[in-house]
């Protein structure tokens, strides 16, 4: 079923000053079969390795139990009863926020002891109908959960954060009691008013940077700011390889012609087919921006035209190695990765006509047949980057 909108989700984090590991843990997962997206943020007691262990256990259990549709109370009870007891403090403790989003925008939030999660409609706070659940089991009697369920609209946002945001600046002359929930929320409102289409990543980044500045860039606690942004999906089409049967060339070309979004062509033969069928002007590129690959070419109405198997092979390698600090260059493969990361719904059409050169055992190992490389790219996009990908063989 077609999604109403794309779910842009990100969580930016900073370590407690002096620690090498974060005591806050963020997990996100897309369950493709059910068209659900789940996000979890957990803050382990203290900082460093012990906090990370507690938070990792909590986030993993919360993610798995939510995916299995367990009820709110069961999830909370199991987590609280499973955490190991700290040998110093003699307690087991970790906070959590769980956000479960279905394809139609139905969003359920469960929260335990994290700063209050906020739902925004535009630049204003929206009340989703929060309710409090008090646990009555012997082990956890009196502990309270906050929960809500609402149907999101396009341009809604959900903000979720750890106490490192709210407590930043505590003890300073300007913020003796910390930044606080109201100040942090007003800061977000001002950003959204001036840049209404700001991405989840950039909004979260501005929040953690501001919290760090409150502490003179030496955070006194692990700091996390998560944002979910419901927005219009950005669509991308990648075509690589000619169709198995030549009489499918026209059908192939019409799919490209009618696609509403950005378009990339990988492969000289593929580009020639589309230029011929759609009467498009095509010019080979001469500027080499990556010594490993042939230069990109140019075709009217197409955002990027590259060589085929070598280029998509390098795309797969970049996606595999990619981290937030990865420096993308200007080469054809780097440009494709940039388009992929900026897109939400990615359609890949892979032709199945065999190019026998790619199966010559004397050629480098990287020259796997196109089908294998494309499947690897799809897997990375779905599992590592939570992209919505459709793959068609023609």
């Amino acid at each position: 079923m077609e999604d109403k909108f794309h779910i842009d989700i990100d969580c930016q984090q900073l370590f407690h000053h002096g620690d090498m590991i974060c005591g806050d843990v963020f997990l996100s997962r897309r369950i493709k079969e059910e068209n659900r997206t789940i996000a979890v943020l957990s803050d382990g007691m203290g900082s460093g390795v012990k906090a990370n262990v507690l938070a990792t256990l909590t986030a993993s259990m919360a993610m798995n139990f939510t995916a299995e549709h367990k009820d709110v109370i069961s999830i909370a009870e199991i987590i609280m009863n499973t955490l190991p007891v700290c040998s110093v403090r003699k307690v087991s403790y970790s906070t959590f926020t769980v956000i479960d989003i279905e394809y139609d925008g139905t969003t359920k939030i469960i929260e335990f002891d994290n700063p209050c999660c906020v739902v925004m409609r535009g630049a204003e706070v929206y009340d989703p109908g929060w309710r409090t659940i008090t646990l009555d089991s012997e082990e956890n009697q009196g502990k309270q959960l906050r929960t809500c369920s609402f149907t999101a609209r396009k341009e809604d946002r959900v903000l979720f954060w750890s106490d490192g945001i709210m407590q930043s600046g505590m003890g300073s002359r300007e913020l003796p009691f910390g930044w606080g929930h109201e100040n942090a929320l007003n800061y977000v409102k001002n950003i959204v008013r001036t840049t209404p289409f700001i991405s989840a990543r950039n909004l979260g980044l501005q929040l953690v940077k501001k919290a760090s500045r409150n502490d003179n860039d030496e955070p006194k606690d692990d700091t996390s700011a998560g944002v979910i942004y419901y927005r219009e999906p950005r669509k991308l089409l990648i075509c690589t390889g000619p169709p198995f049967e030549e009489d499918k060339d026209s059908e192939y070309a019409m799919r490209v012609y009618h696609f509403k979004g950005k378009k990339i062509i990988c492969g000289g033969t593929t580009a020639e087919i589309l230029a011929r069928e759609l009467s498009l002007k095509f010019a080979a590129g001469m500027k080499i921006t990556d010594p490993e690959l042939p230069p990109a070419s140019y075709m009217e109405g197409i955002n990027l035209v590259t060589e085929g198997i070598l280029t998509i092979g390098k795309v797969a390698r970049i996606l595999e190695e990619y981290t937030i600090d990865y420096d993308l260059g200007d080469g054809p493969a780097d440009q494709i990765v940039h388009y992929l990361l900026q897109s939400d719904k990615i359609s890949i059409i892979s032709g199945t006509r065999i190019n026998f050169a790619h199966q010559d055992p004397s050629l480098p190992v990287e020259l796997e047949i196109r089908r294998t490389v494309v499947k690897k790219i799809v897997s990375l996009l779905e599992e590592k980057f939570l992209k919505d990908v459709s793959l068609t063989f023609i």
Side-chain angles (χ1 to χ4, degrees):
M1 189 175 292
E2 186 75 14
D3 291 11
K4 290 171 65 175
F5 31 56
H6 172 69
I7 299 160
D8 181 16
I9 180 168
D10 194 84
C11 184
Q12 295 293 313
Q13 297 182 309
L14 293 175
F15 298 0
H16 173 268
H17 181 66
D19 283 330
M20 297 300 291
I21 190 168
C22 190
D24 296 349
V25 170
F26 169 73
L27 300 177
S28 61
R29 176 179 169 192
R30 180 178 171 86
I31 304 174
K32 191 170 184 178
E33 299 77 13
E34 300 179 44
N35 219 343
R36 290 166 70 205
T37 301
I38 303 172
V40 180
L41 175 64
S42 178
D43 180 1
M45 182 172 59
S47 62
V49 175
K50 281 186 179 180
N52 180 268
V53 169
L54 288 168
T56 300
L57 280 168
T58 300
S60 300
M61 287 189 287
M63 175 65 74
N64 293 331
F65 294 146
T66 303
E68 293 169 0
H69 299 279
K70 286 194 181 294
D71 65 89
V72 173
I73 295 176
S74 296
I75 292 172
E77 293 276 10
I78 294 171
I79 290 172
M80 293 173 188
N81 294 338
T82 304
L83 293 179
V85 176
C86 174
S87 59
V88 178
R89 296 176 176 87
K90 305 300 180 185
V91 293
S92 61
Y93 177 76
S94 183
T95 71
F96 57 85
T97 299
V98 182
I99 304 169
D100 185 2
I101 308 166
E102 297 183 21
Y103 74 93
D104 62 353
T106 300
T107 303
K108 300 171 186 174
I109 305 175
I110 311 167
E111 197 165 62
F112 173 66
D113 265 15
N114 270 334
C116 294
C117 189
V118 174
V119 180
M120 297 185 69
R121 188 146 284 172
E124 300 302 322
V125 174
Y126 170 73
D127 182 3
W130 288 102
R131 59 192 181 93
T132 301
I133 298 175
T134 303
L135 303 181
D136 57 8
S137 66
E138 185 177 341
E139 299 88 345
N140 301 300
Q141 191 165 22
K143 292 181 179 178
Q144 293 187 328
L145 307 172
R146 294 178 77 240
T147 183
C148 71
S149 179
F150 70 100
T151 301
R153 297 179 185 174
K154 204 171 288 182
E155 301 306 318
D156 281 0
R157 287 179 173 86
V158 178
L159 310 176
F160 52 104
W161 27 34
S162 66
D163 57 10
I165 295 285
M166 309 308 166
Q167 294 175 8
S168 63
M170 186 174 287
S172 66
R173 181 175 297 179
E174 297 80 7
L175 300 166
F177 302 108
W179 196 20
H181 196 273
E182 187 174 348
N183 287 336
L185 188 52
N186 286 335
Y187 182 77
V188 171
K189 285 181 179 180
N190 288 333
I191 292 173
V192 174
R193 285 192 189 104
T194 54
T195 51
F197 303 114
I198 187 171
S199 69
R201 179 180 182 274
N202 288 339
L203 182 54
L205 197 58
Q206 290 200 38
L207 266 170
V208 295
K209 283 184 174 178
K210 172 61 176 171
S212 180
R213 289 197 299 271
N214 292 341
D215 285 322
N216 296 315
D217 292 320
E218 294 186 356
K220 296 181 175 62
D221 193 4
D222 298 308
T223 304
S224 300
V227 180
I228 294 173
Y229 178 26
Y230 303 79
R231 59 167 169 75
E232 188 71 31
R234 299 174 187 143
K235 298 180 181 180
L236 173 68
L237 172 66
I238 296 181
C239 296
T240 178
F244 183 76
E245 298 171 347
E246 288 188 21
D247 58 9
K248 294 276 189 181
D249 286 358
S250 177
E251 177 191 332
Y252 195 10
M254 293 313 294
R255 287 196 193 186
V256 175
Y257 178 78
H258 289 294
F259 183 80
K260 304 298 183 185
K262 293 182 177 176
K263 305 168 189 178
I264 296 175
I265 307 302
C266 298
T269 306
T270 310
E272 289 172 4
I273 289 170
L274 295 175
R276 182 191 72 229
E277 294 291 329
L278 298 175
S279 300
L280 300 176
K281 293 178 182 176
F282 174 63
M286 301 300 291
K287 184 180 179 182
I288 295 176
T289 52
D290 184 337
E292 298 179 16
L293 300 174
S297 300
Y298 307 94
M299 186 185 296
E300 60 177 319
I302 305 298
N303 297 89
L304 182 64
V305 181
T306 74
E307 179 275 340
I309 190 66
L310 283 170
T311 304
I312 63 171
K314 185 162 185 180
V315 167
R317 294 201 306 275
I318 293 173
L319 289 173
E320 201 163 27
E321 297 167 5
Y322 188 86
T323 65
I324 199 166
D325 299 318
Y326 192 99
D327 187 19
L328 287 172
D330 297 322
D334 299 78
Q335 290 185 59
I336 292 174
V337 171
H338 176 77
Y339 276 109
L340 289 169
L341 296 181
Q342 292 298 313
S343 302
D344 309 312
K345 297 176 77 69
I346 300 162
S347 301
I348 300 177
I349 302 177
S350 181
T352 54
R353 193 182 306 170
I354 295 173
N355 183 337
F356 292 99
H358 297 162
Q359 299 191 74
D360 185 339
S362 66
L363 293 177
V365 176
E366 306 94 78
L367 296 181
E368 303 172 54
I369 57 173
R370 186 183 302 110
R371 183 190 297 259
T372 305
V373 181
V374 168
K375 283 184 175 179
K376 183 176 182 181
I377 289 172
V378 170
S379 176
L380 286 164
L381 289 171
E382 290 182 336
E383 295 171 16
K384 184 174 180 180
F385 300 97
L386 300 181
K387 301 295 183 181
D388 184 357
V389 187
S390 66
L391 171 60
T392 305
F393 291 104
I394 186 171

